[in-house]
Amino acid sequence: MAARDDLVVAQGYFGHVLYQYNVKTKKINKKELGTYKGHVSRNIFMDHRGHVYGIRARLASSQEAEGVYKLNGDRVRISLTELDTELREIHDWPLSDYEPSGDTGSHGITGFSEMLDGSIVFVTHSGALWRVRMDGRDSQLERLGWLNPLGKSYCASLFCPYGDRYVCGFVPQNGQFFWSVFDIRLSRSVLLPFDDASQKILTQKGLLVYGCETLDDNSNAYVVGWKVIERGNGPFIFRLRWE
């Protein structure tokens, strides 16, 4: 889901259908972006103008090459689509290094974070890092690089604790987790180790956690998910503090 002012937008599975609800007028609007077989993007996001962004996956034409992947004998085009407050299409940018699958094995946009200048940085399941910038009434999409300095790496979180220059998230590496910090100004990232106590929390058996964007008034971040318990799956949450 995404929300801003009077607008709430939810993405429906499957098909990447966006449902927009105006809490003031009670009006409901919808737009189908479309997806490929069982592919699902975990997130959509919305900018300060109320424009919403989501993933579209469709069969590519023979003339299309950018953002196109071969899946199950098909040529599939992946793009980030921008819609205005009436869900009219503004942009449809092809995405490179997306690594899609025809099932729920790939998770699309796994994290995003809004910065003080209004731009939004997001990461896909491959670890590719992007930024949407607003230039007056128009938007621009730019590729920032890889969140993990080693290249492709799954990342299920993204935070911008100070609203400028640095975005970060935790990435798996050789059975452990590392904190990856990307410097937008220098276009590079570094891996920082967790202390033993934090590593123990993250590597618990049966733990699945993810999260982005959420900061409290003290800039603490919160990562949520679920953990296998005796009677099934139970909720799990932990707090991140910046020191």
Side-chain angles (χ1 to χ4, degrees):
M1 297 183 69
R4 182 81 64 163
D5 298 326
D6 297 329
L7 298 178
V8 179
V9 179
Q11 176 179 264
Y13 294 165
F14 291 93
H16 285 187
V17 182
L18 301 183
Y19 298 91
Q20 181 197 70
Y21 179 69
N22 188 310
V23 298
K24 182 178 292 184
T25 66
K26 313 301 181 186
K27 179 183 176 181
I28 297 176
N29 197 4
K30 77 172 185 177
K31 171 75 173 184
E32 182 173 355
L33 297 182
T35 189
Y36 175 76
K37 296 188 176 180
H39 174 62
V40 167
S41 174
R42 281 188 173 178
N43 287 290
I44 58 176
F45 57 85
M46 188 181 292
D47 67 23
H48 61 86
R49 303 167 298 176
H51 290 199
V52 65
Y53 302 77
I55 293 295
R56 169 182 284 149
R58 63 165 174 80
L59 295 178
S61 69
S62 57
Q63 291 78 30
E64 292 176 312
E66 197 173 359
V68 175
Y69 305 84
K70 291 184 179 180
L71 293 175
N72 308 314
D74 293 327
R75 298 177 71 253
V76 180
R77 182 179 184 269
I78 303 292
S79 59
L80 179 75
T81 305
E82 176 189 354
L83 307 170
D84 68 9
T85 55
E86 299 298 323
L87 295 189
R88 294 175 298 222
E89 191 168 318
I90 304 297
H91 287 109
D92 186 64
W93 295 289
L95 294 180
S96 59
D97 295 315
Y98 187 84
E99 303 298 326
S101 66
D103 53 29
T104 58
S106 56
H107 300 152
I109 299 171
T110 53
F112 64 92
S113 189
E114 185 173 359
M115 309 189 78
L116 290 174
D117 64 1
S119 64
I120 298 175
V121 179
F122 69 94
V123 64
T124 65
H125 53 256
S126 65
L129 200 62
W130 300 82
R131 176 166 61 171
V132 176
R133 303 184 70 174
M134 292 77 205
D135 183 12
R137 300 180 61 181
D138 196 17
S139 306
Q140 297 178 352
L141 177 68
E142 61 177 328
R143 175 67 188 278
L144 296 177
W146 297 103
L147 181 62
N148 189 333
L150 301 179
K152 295 178 182 179
S153 177
Y154 187 81
C155 178
S157 62
L158 195 69
F159 301 96
C160 186
Y162 305 110
D164 184 30
R165 186 169 178 175
Y166 300 104
V167 291
C168 44
F170 51 86
V171 297
Q173 198 73 39
N174 299 323
Q176 290 189 314
F177 283 93
F178 290 84
W179 195 242
S180 186
V181 181
F182 188 93
D183 186 331
I184 295 176
R185 188 180 302 172
L186 299 179
S187 298
R188 68 185 186 192
S189 58
V190 295
L191 290 180
L192 303 177
F194 284 107
D195 58 63
D196 292 341
S198 299
Q199 195 70 247
K200 188 175 181 180
I201 291 175
L202 286 168
T203 55
Q204 292 180 73
K205 185 178 180 180
L207 178 65
L208 176 64
V209 291
Y210 41 87
C212 61
E213 182 84 333
T214 307
L215 299 174
D216 64 19
D217 291 339
N218 297 315
S219 292
N220 295 316
Y222 295 86
V223 181
V224 301
W226 53 260
K227 180 182 178 182
V228 175
I229 58 176
E230 185 177 349
R231 292 181 293 174
N233 297 327
F236 190 89
I237 181 169
F238 62 87
R239 181 178 64 182
L240 298 171
R241 293 184 297 178
W242 322 106
E243 296 179 355

